[in-house]
Amino acid sequence: MTYAEFLAKLRSLLSGLLYPSESDFPVEVVPRGLSYRMPSSGEVRDLDRVFQVRYVEDWMGEGEQEFAQRWQAVYDHIASNTIATTAWHYKVNRKNYTHEQVVILLHAQGVVGLRIRLVET
């Protein structure tokens, strides 16, 4: 899969999908790297931890299962088409959100960043 195909499919999978936290935000897809400076403190996370919401549980209703399946499709697409991934979770304490996760996806033909805004207490 080419970089352009990877990016188009990723955007399609994330379209209309909100990342769950105490306040849900869309995931920002940032091709060609990230334009802001990373903080010096934070926590490195793996892809499994970033996309924990992908697991379908017996107790889930139909809508919750569909939501988890959509996140599983995003995870599968990333895991199948990247050479390496890493995530950085850190506090930002902005007005609308308190944390961010930046996920770096290394594709054979380029790099994509995912910016995930979170509200965590």
Side-chain angles (χ1 to χ4, degrees), residues 3 16 32 55 86 88 94:
Y3 177 76
R32 299 184 184 97
Y55 299 111
T86 192
W88 187 248
R94 303 245 169 101

Side-chain angles (χ1 to χ4, degrees), residues 13-34:
L13 290 169
L14 288 169
S15 178
L17 192 58
L18 301 177
Y19 193 88
S21 70
E22 292 179 28
S23 181
D24 302 338
F25 290 102
V27 176
E28 180 183 349
V29 178
V30 186
R32 299 184 184 97
L34 301 166

Side-chain angles (χ1 to χ4, degrees), residues 59-76:
W59 55 263
M60 291 178 166
E62 187 177 325
E64 293 167 313
Q65 288 181 4
E66 289 174 12
F67 178 78
Q69 290 168 346
R70 285 191 66 193
W71 279 110
Q72 181 66 52
V74 171
Y75 177 88
D76 290 344

